Amino acid sequence: MKYLAEIIFGKDQVRKFHNNEPLNDFEKIINLKKYNFESREERNAFYKGIGEAMGWFEFEVVKEFEEKDHKDEKEDDDKFDYWSFIEKYYTKYYHCDNVLLSDILTRKLVGEEICEQDEENIKDWDVRSELFEVDKELLCKAFENYFNIIHPENLTS
């Protein structure tokens, strides 16, 4: 599975993005970049690296999606992709410690390698149970945000 991302770099350009202001042609050339990653680990390492090098206010992931193998599409049609829902409706998804924790716990649960510090931090945890609680909390908050968009409170009452 491949991961594709579009990222805006620069504090002013990120501010423009959050204010729904368009980037000019020069800013699009200089500050808007597209990346392809061969694996989730490669994508996460890249995000971590730019987050440490630049700071979270100097870039924003504006688009991200996975390219799936065609053989997996039939099987995936019946599954609810709750991470797409969380990503879309969870406020500050790319800056949330619980999203990172979920990623770490998921990788541990499926047998992927995690760093020594993370391994030490979760050594006595019931990983599956903790992952369930973290993901449940993220999904509930995302659903609450979705619900408030679809059915906003009547402020005139």
Side-chain angles (χ1 to χ4, degrees), residues 14 54 69-70 79 84 93 103 135 157:
V14 169
M54 300 180 68
D69 295 333
H70 293 294
K79 292 182 182 178
S84 292
Y93 172 86
D103 181 62
D135 284 5
S157 304

Side-chain angles (χ1 to χ4, degrees), residues 21-22 35 42 48 96 98 120 124 130 136 155-156:
E21 298 173 20
Y35 296 91
E42 182 182 359
K48 182 179 178 186
C96 176
N98 279 345
E120 180 64 26
D124 296 326
E130 292 291 334
K136 181 172 66 172
L155 300 177
T156 60

Side-chain angles (χ1 to χ4, degrees), residues 24-125:
N24 63 42
D25 290 339
F26 181 75
E27 289 173 318
K28 288 179 183 175
I29 293 169
I30 300 299
N31 301 92
L32 187 63
K33 303 295 180 190
K34 295 180 181 181
Y35 296 91
N36 296 314
F37 305 103
E38 294 297 321
S39 67
R40 178 182 224 175
E41 294 79 22
E42 182 182 359
R43 179 202 66 183
N44 291 346
F46 179 79
Y47 288 168
K48 182 179 178 186
I50 61 175
E52 291 174 357
M54 300 180 68
W56 291 109
F57 297 114
E58 296 179 26
F59 76 95
E60 181 76 26
V61 178
V62 293
K63 290 182 187 173
E64 180 180 60
F65 61 94
E66 300 174 17
E67 275 187 354
K68 298 180 181 181
D69 295 333
H70 293 294
K71 63 182 177 181
D72 297 333
E73 286 179 12
K74 175 104 172 108
E75 180 181 313
D76 289 344
D77 285 345
D78 296 332
K79 292 182 182 178
F80 171 60
D81 183 5
Y82 69 93
W83 273 109
S84 292
F85 185 84
I86 291 171
E87 181 179 3
K88 185 171 183 178
Y89 293 105
Y90 190 87
T91 308
K92 302 290 184 188
Y93 172 86
Y94 293 102
H95 309 291
C96 176
D97 291 338
N98 279 345
V99 171
L100 176 60
L101 177 59
S102 176
D103 181 62
I104 291 166
L105 293 174
T106 299
R107 287 187 283 128
K108 177 66 175 175
L109 189 64
V110 299
E112 293 179 14
E113 188 174 327
I114 61 175
C115 76
E116 290 179 27
Q117 182 63 47
D118 291 338
E119 196 73 64
E120 180 64 26
N121 290 339
I122 66 171
K123 69 180 178 185
D124 296 326
W125 291 14

Side-chain angles (χ1 to χ4, degrees), residues 8-28 31 57 60 62:
I8 294 176
F9 292 94
K11 286 183 183 179
D12 292 335
Q13 290 71 29
V14 169
R15 181 193 47 77
K16 277 183 160 184
F17 173 76
H18 286 288
N19 291 331
N20 292 321
E21 298 173 20
L23 298 178
N24 63 42
D25 290 339
F26 181 75
E27 289 173 318
K28 288 179 183 175
N31 301 92
F57 297 114
E60 181 76 26
V62 293

